Amino acid sequence: MVGVADPNKDSTVVIVLGASGDLAFKKTYPALFGLFKNGFVPPHVQIIGYARSHIELDDFRKRVSSRIKTNNDEEKKLLDEFLKKCTYVSGQYDKPEGFQKLNAAAEEVEKKYQGQKHRVFYMALPPSVFIPASEGLRQNAYSKNGSNRLVVEKPFGKDLESSKELAAALAAHWQEDEIYRIDHYLGKEMVKNLMILRFANVFLGAAWDRFHIHNVQITFKEPIGTEGRGGYFDEFGIIRDIMQNHLLQILTIVAMEKPVTLDAEDVRNEKVKVLRAIAPLTVDDVLLGQYTGSKDGKEPGYLDDPGVPKDSVTPTFAAAVFYINNERWDGVPFILKCGKALNEHKTEVRIQFQDVAGNIYPGVERNELVIRVQPKEAVYLKLNNKQPGLSSNAVMSELDLSYSKRYSDVKIPDAYESLILDVLKGDKANFVRDDELDAAWKIFTPLLHKIEREKVKPEPYEFGARGPASLNSWVEGHGYARTKGYSWTPGKL
Ligand code: BG6
């Protein structure tokens, strides 16, 4: 069984801080149920929710279950069993009494078992209470006989300085190896697949360098706007919300050298090296955008969001080009693009290979390997094929590994499920290390400060567009060559 030395004797208490909030109900509890349902939680586990509001246990359980889907009677029974494992304690984040009550509730569970008493503290909390809560937990609710794991969610600061402050405040009470910084993209199936694709396929490994790869694009698109979250979003903007964490994490995995082993420190050592080889971005490296209302008037613009100041220049779209100054990647543009209120929902990694040298066939275009992270997970390789029939021209076709066809009977776990399982197992490979965070902020901080100081104006784009009008020429200007007359439909034969 996962995460415990002696499954018959040890106990595990998972404490969800911010248990009455959106993240907990939407992600944490459903993920814990997913693990429970599939037999991936330790046998003696109890889940204690903690938040400021007073909520009756029955009501709390009702709220937890209202966000969990069950597909049949057996799952309904399992959900009832799961709910019995969920309790709730209310208390403050900045006073010891609440945490002492929490500790007493955990001890009540633990005293039934003779083995070690492990605790996982999952902080689904706003940044304002982050520091007092982590301190209060360490002082009042820390297990003295078993492992303690503190799971933290972004934002990890707003720039290098605030991130360092936060790191120092955490480090005053917690060891780095007890801290699990979540970037939920690292729990996505296709992001986890990247290392296997690269390091377990000889032909891909052999072509994975500047001699064979022309450019890399990592794209995140969301068809929704800020939808009332504008007040929060405006403080951060799309670069901090998506690019500095989710997309940069993907970039490091695409670019890193093969780690010595799969051990967390070996993997993260390689990722840090990539980040340290990237120079800080300047305004010349980016294209910024902000969405306006849709033409038909149905969708509001960013500035119409009640929480957003009318003169806000916060970008809701950003594209940036990165160069990695090392032997493998020198000169290869890594183009990262992300935006809200765009034409579709899609995250993908697109590796475009070099032109065929000394080409002799009409119609040949660059190969591309596309890893479709979501939705409709897939890996497809665009390759030049003889046009079937009497022509001997090349035509672009693809080898298509669409999960809906190849793995139709497998349910892909939610990213949070996969990451919470890692926490229970004590595997930190898919979590962000402190020096990794530092190196990431170093790349973005000068740019972010300049944008804010000089109020750099983003280019407007209409709600539902592909991005700002200059996007295509910007991307092409950085080396990407669009394949002519080609389109791919996920899983379609
Ligand atoms: C979050 C961002 O980290 O990721 C959100 O704060 C964004 O703005 C979300 O919508 C996207 O995650 P996913 O898993 O839905 O792609």
Side-chain angles (χ1 to χ4, degrees):
M1 187 50 71
V2 293
V4 291
D6 186 340
N8 295 320
K9 293 189 179 155
D10 287 9
S11 60
T12 304
V13 176
V14 178
I15 293 160
V16 181
L17 289 293
S20 61
D22 219 33
L23 177 68
F25 287 131
K26 241 162 76 183
K27 295 290 181 186
T28 321
Y29 279 99
L32 284 163
F33 175 64
L35 292 172
F36 174 78
K37 185 173 81 177
N38 292 304
F40 282 112
V41 294
H44 305 314
V45 74
Q46 180 87 16
I47 302 158
I48 308 180
Y50 183 88
R52 278 183 286 225
S53 10
H54 179 82
I55 310 175
E56 292 299 331
L57 184 57
D58 268 0
D59 289 341
F60 180 73
R61 287 180 172 158
K62 267 185 210 141
R63 279 163 76 174
V64 168
S65 67
S66 70
R67 300 305 285 264
I68 296 177
K69 271 198 221 115
T70 48
N71 298 313
N72 49 46
D73 287 348
E74 198 194 329
E75 282 191 12
K76 276 194 193 113
K77 234 172 78 200
L78 284 169
L79 178 58
D80 287 340
E81 269 177 53
F82 173 76
L83 290 173
K84 283 190 201 128
K85 290 185 172 290
C86 297
T87 57
Y88 181 79
V89 171
S90 68
Q92 301 301 313
Y93 294 117
D94 53 356
K95 296 200 182 73
E97 294 77 18
F99 293 124
Q100 286 157 2
K101 220 161 73 179
L102 183 62
N103 189 51
E107 280 175 348
E108 200 50 41
V109 176
E110 291 164 347
K111 73 178 187 205
K112 293 185 227 145
Y113 309 102
Q114 295 91 48
Q116 293 201 317
K117 296 149 192 3
H118 307 289
R119 293 187 186 174
V120 171
F121 303 96
Y122 192 108
M123 305 234 290
L125 289 177
S128 53
V129 292
F130 231 68
I131 295 175
S134 65
E135 191 180 329
L137 288 171
R138 178 65 183 84
Q139 280 163 356
N140 301 290
Y142 192 80
S143 169
K144 290 165 198 75
N145 172 23
S147 63
N148 288 275
R149 293 173 186 155
L150 183 74
V151 184
V152 291
E153 284 271 351
K154 81 173 170 77
F156 308 125
K158 287 185 72 183
D159 56 12
L160 183 60
E161 202 192 336
S162 51
S163 160
K164 273 185 184 294
E165 272 168 26
L166 183 62
L170 279 183
H173 303 284
W174 294 84
Q175 305 287 331
E176 175 61 21
D177 65 300
E178 293 172 327
I179 303 172
Y180 290 70
R181 288 179 200 84
I182 283 208
D183 182 314
H184 78 283
Y185 267 62
L186 293 178
K188 293 200 185 258
E189 183 72 16
M190 298 311 278
V191 175
K192 293 173 90 172
N193 193 21
L194 283 168
M195 277 176 64
I196 298 229
L197 287 174
R198 287 193 54 195
F199 301 126
N201 291 296
V202 175
F203 74 103
L204 282 181
W208 213 260
D209 57 27
R210 68 195 173 97
F211 302 109
H212 299 89
I213 292 178
H214 189 284
N215 62 76
V216 175
Q217 270 189 83
I218 304 172
T219 307
F220 166 98
K221 289 169 130 193
E222 241 179 11
I224 50 171
T226 46
E227 305 199 323
R229 262 178 86 225
Y232 164 84
F233 185 88
D234 201 66
E235 249 194 78
F236 292 90
I238 198 79
I239 297 180
R240 291 185 179 95
D241 194 40
I242 305 288
M243 193 184 278
Q244 181 268 355
N245 37 69
H246 305 328
L247 299 194
L248 194 67
Q249 281 293 332
I250 297 179
L251 178 151
T252 59
I253 303 171
V254 171
M256 72 195 226
E257 297 300 312
K258 186 177 190 165
V260 180
T261 69
L262 290 177
D263 177 79
E265 300 321 320
D266 286 338
V267 172
R268 298 188 299 179
N269 286 344
E270 295 308 329
K271 289 170 72 184
V272 173
K273 283 187 212 160
V274 173
L275 295 172
R276 290 183 50 211
I278 300 175
L281 290 176
T282 71
V283 271
D284 296 333
D285 301 321
V286 296
L287 169 66
L288 304 174
Q290 189 185 73
Y291 67 89
T292 58
S294 60
K295 234 189 235 129
D296 59 10
K298 284 194 184 137
E299 302 291 352
Y302 177 64
L303 299 180
D304 301 323
D305 190 310
V308 174
K310 290 290 168 239
D311 59 348
S312 170
V313 290
T314 300
T316 58
F317 175 95
V321 61
F322 300 72
Y323 287 93
I324 302 168
N325 184 28
N326 66 18
E327 204 174 346
R328 185 184 291 273
W329 296 115
D330 196 7
V332 177
F334 281 72
I335 300 163
L336 271 48
K337 300 180 299 182
C338 48
K340 293 202 172 267
L342 296 179
N343 60 330
E344 58 180 334
H345 173 215
K346 178 169 94 173
T347 302
E348 66 171 32
V349 180
R350 185 172 293 264
I351 317 278
Q352 186 168 66
F353 290 85
Q354 298 280 6
D355 290 313
V356 173
N359 174 39
I360 51 173
Y361 291 105
V364 168
E365 300 201 54
R366 290 181 189 163
N367 295 122
E368 283 181 13
L369 174 71
V370 183
I371 296 107
R372 162 76 78 123
V373 175
Q374 65 186 31
K376 303 194 172 130
E377 293 86 348
V379 182
Y380 62 97
L381 176 64
K382 285 166 65 173
L383 80 176
N384 292 294
N385 197 36
K386 181 187 156 318
Q387 187 162 11
L390 295 177
S391 163
S392 50
N393 286 0
V395 66
M396 188 54 85
S397 193
E398 71 282 308
L399 297 176
D400 181 348
L401 170 53
S402 278
Y403 276 38
S404 58
K405 275 198 309 185
R406 185 65 179 86
Y407 303 115
S408 53
D409 49 345
V410 179
K411 187 195 163 288
I412 307 285
D414 179 73
Y416 278 89
E417 220 170 295
S418 155
L419 291 176
I420 295 175
L421 178 60
D422 285 348
V423 175
L424 291 171
K425 287 200 259 180
D427 181 354
K428 300 194 70 185
N430 289 313
F431 294 83
V432 183
R433 203 167 65 186
D434 53 354
D435 53 344
E436 212 178 328
L437 195 58
D438 256 31
W441 278 123
K442 277 188 187 142
I443 299 171
F444 287 94
T445 298
L447 170 75
L448 289 165
H449 284 176
K450 193 174 167 81
I451 294 175
E452 280 150 14
R453 204 175 45 241
E454 295 179 12
K455 287 193 157 281
V456 176
K457 269 221 164 335
E459 192 180 320
Y461 61 95
E462 218 173 88
F463 198 114
R466 290 185 66 243
S470 60
L471 177 63
N472 278 358
S473 57
W474 187 91
V475 170
E476 281 157 19
H478 288 291
Y480 178 68
R482 197 170 299 281
T483 317
K484 292 173 211 90
Y486 172 90
S487 75
W488 171 80
T489 317
K492 195 171 166 221
L493 267 186

